[in-house]
Each structure stands twice: as structure tokens, then as C-alpha cells.
Amino acid sequence: MNSESQKILSAINQLENNLLLVKEKSFEILGISSNYLGSCSKSLKIKEDKIQEFAEYIGMIPEDILKGEIDLKLIKKHLYKNQFMDLPEKYSKGAGSYISGIRTIYIYVNKTQGNKAAQEMIRHFNIPKKSLFNDNNKNNLLLVNDLFDYCILNFNFKRKDFIELAYSQYFEGERKAIFEIASSCTNIRSLLSMIVKNSNLYEMNFFYQLVEVSDKLFIIRSESRPNINDELSKINISSLENNFYKAKVIEIIPTLVGLPPIKVKPLKSLKQNGRQIIHYVINVL
């Protein structure tokens, strides 16, 4: 197998792992079969016109593919830009969460439970697979809550699964933007300030405020936005899973950028003037 063919097959693997594109579709465009690939891989040479066709399919230029420079964000935008959300009203009303959070759960289930289980899960909630990859789409917190319940019931999700999901958010979800900004922070205070200031980059459910008690103790106050209050009333937002997951999402950031670890403890939610208030107590270890 020549180096060009290796680069193309590497690209196909990246597309399958990150965007869940079926390999067979790419093989079909390239004019090769999976059987041939298995038995004659050493002699595989892909025709130039087929490489061009494959490049057009994923929205890249052949030269970049052959250099191994695969821009997944660009490809995702090219493939899914016209796939609009088609959620039941139950999950679209009061939407303030970017669909990437649901995509991360789907990808995790696909990797740990298999493609069939992942497909059955999104069918259960009437979610079109392609809609998961349009970053303009939004869902409400009720869908997140129901997905967590489904995963616990059907896949026996444990705390380690929620921790791995939280990590995945920074590499596959909207919080990737926060991770990139966090890299410039030099201490916990600046990091937490950055999280609060840029919260709209990864969700539009809450307003956040940072209170500094000392250099080792902080509190993040979150207050639900008016447009989601009706939907929040249907969710047990103080459930063990929600609390643990949100705490881990915050705890993980310092470990990713080389800052001291923190411990996050969410307090039970309160209601004030129809809004949900949650405080997160943060200790620097």
C-alpha cells in the first residue's frame, strides 16, 4: 500500500470515529471493497479521479487529505450544514443546550455499547442521526435528563461513565472552545472567571456569577434563564447524576491545562421568583 492510500484510509478511520460516517460509503466512492482491502491491502492503489471524488464528498481538497491534514470541523460543516433539528416539541421547547452534548453521549454509547444500541437509543427519542452533527441545533435539558436515565437503565451507566463523558465534552463537544481559551489561564481564579464569562459558548440555560471567598475557596452561582424555567420545572435538576456530571465537567478543566486540581460540590437547587438557583462550592486542593 502506498503512502497516499494509507493517508486516505487514515482519513476514513477518523471520519468513522469522530463523525460516525459509515466506512462502506467512503469505500464505494473510492472504488474499493472491504473484502479487497482485507486480502490485497499491500497492493492497494487508489485512482486519482476517485481521490478527487472522495475529496468533494467530504468537502476538502485532495492535497490536504494526502498530507494527512484532516479538518473534521470543516468536514462536519460541509456534510451536515443543511440537516436541521427535527426533535419532538417535548425536547425542543426552551432549548438552551447545544446539540453537541447529545452527540457526545451518542458517540460514547456507540463506542462502549455498539452501533445498534446507539441507534436504538436515538430512535427511542426520535432524534435524526444527522441532526446530531449540525452545531446550530439546540435541545432542552429535559432531553439530557432523559438520556441519562435511559443510559442508567439500559446500559448500567456508572460514575466512571459520567466522568468519561465529561472529559469527552472538551474534545468532541462545544466545551472544546472553553478548553482552548482555558489554556491561557495562569491560575484558578482566572480560569473560573473565564468559565463564567464565556459560558454562552457552550450553553444558554443559566446565567453564572463567580464569588471569590478566598484564594482557595470560590462559589459559582447559576440562575436559570427566563425562557427555560417552564422546562426546568419538569426536571429533577438536583438528581445525583446531574449533580455529579456537572461537578465533574467543572473539575476536569484545571487538569487539562496544568493548573492545581479543584473539588466541586453542588448544593441543592433553590427556587426564587420562578427561577432555579444552584450554587457550586469550589475548593482548590
Side-chain angles (χ1 to χ4, degrees):
M1 184 187 305
N2 60 27
S3 60
E4 289 187 353
S5 298
Q6 288 179 331
K7 292 285 174 55
I8 292 171
L9 293 181
S10 174
I12 292 173
N13 285 330
Q14 289 186 61
L15 294 175
E16 181 181 49
N17 292 333
N18 295 281
L19 300 181
L20 301 179
L21 288 188
V22 179
K23 281 185 176 181
E24 283 68 24
K25 174 65 174 178
S26 298
F27 290 158
E28 180 184 344
I29 293 171
L30 292 165
I32 57 178
S33 70
S34 54
N35 292 333
Y36 177 85
L37 187 63
S39 60
C40 308
S41 58
K42 290 184 178 180
S43 61
L44 177 65
K45 185 175 181 180
I46 303 172
K47 295 180 180 179
E48 189 173 327
D49 62 327
K50 292 295 183 180
I51 296 175
Q52 177 65 42
E53 187 177 346
F54 176 67
E56 291 175 359
Y57 166 60
I58 64 174
M60 291 192 65
I61 61 174
E63 290 78 9
D64 285 345
I65 298 173
L66 298 178
K67 287 189 291 186
E69 298 175 357
I70 305 302
D71 189 335
L72 292 171
K73 188 173 183 179
L74 179 67
I75 295 171
K76 181 173 64 177
K77 184 177 181 180
H78 171 76
L79 291 172
Y80 298 115
K81 62 183 178 182
N82 293 321
Q83 300 297 330
F84 297 105
M85 181 57 79
D86 187 17
L87 286 177
E89 184 181 359
K90 176 182 179 181
Y91 296 129
S92 59
K93 186 177 179 181
S97 299
Y98 295 108
I99 197 66
S100 60
I102 306 301
R103 178 170 71 240
T104 301
I105 297 171
Y106 175 77
I107 290 175
Y108 182 78
V109 170
N110 188 75
K111 289 178 179 178
T112 59
Q113 306 296 324
N115 182 257
K116 182 178 179 181
Q119 296 285 358
E120 288 177 352
M121 179 181 71
I122 60 173
R123 277 199 298 269
H124 180 80
F125 295 102
N126 297 319
I127 305 170
K129 176 184 171 183
K130 288 186 176 181
S131 293
L132 295 176
F133 294 91
N134 180 358
D135 288 333
N136 292 321
N137 290 331
K138 290 182 181 178
N139 58 275
N140 61 26
L141 287 173
L142 180 60
L143 178 55
V144 180
N145 194 78
D146 285 355
L147 277 172
F148 281 173
D149 288 345
Y150 182 95
C151 290
I152 292 168
L153 177 64
N154 293 277
F155 309 134
N156 196 29
F157 262 34
K158 304 293 186 184
R159 286 197 165 188
K160 71 174 183 65
D161 294 293
F162 287 104
I163 292 172
E164 290 179 20
L165 268 176
Y167 269 104
S168 298
Q169 288 287 353
Y170 291 100
F171 300 101
E172 298 167 2
E174 285 302 315
R175 288 185 176 87
K176 184 177 180 181
I178 289 293
F179 169 51
E180 292 169 351
I181 298 173
S183 301
S184 63
C185 296
T186 57
N187 55 58
I188 294 297
R189 186 186 185 286
S190 64
L191 178 69
L192 295 176
S193 295
M194 178 278 303
I195 294 171
V196 169
K197 181 179 179 181
N198 295 282
S199 62
N200 63 321
L201 290 178
Y202 53 87
E203 63 119 308
M204 299 286 286
N205 295 303
F206 296 89
F207 297 112
Y208 293 92
Q209 179 184 1
L210 177 66
V211 178
E212 182 177 2
V213 180
S214 72
D215 59 349
K216 296 288 186 180
L217 179 63
F218 298 85
I219 296 173
I220 291 180
R221 180 184 187 274
S222 66
E223 178 180 326
S224 60
R225 294 173 184 253
N227 60 302
I228 72 162
N229 287 327
D230 288 344
E231 302 313 305
L232 280 182
S233 66
K234 306 171 186 175
I235 307 170
N236 180 11
I237 201 161
S238 291
S239 69
L240 178 64
E241 292 76 27
N242 278 326
N243 273 343
F244 183 78
Y245 180 70
K246 190 68 175 279
K248 287 302 173 185
V249 165
I250 299 172
E251 283 181 9
I252 283 167
I253 309 177
T255 68
L256 296 177
V257 296
L259 291 177
I262 59 176
K263 185 68 177 176
V264 180
K265 181 181 179 181
L267 303 181
K268 188 175 182 179
S269 65
L270 306 170
K271 284 189 178 180
Q272 294 181 3
N273 300 320
R275 297 189 179 189
Q276 293 269 6
I277 310 293
I278 306 176
H279 292 88
Y280 298 89
V281 179
I282 301 169
N283 285 280
V284 182
L285 304 180

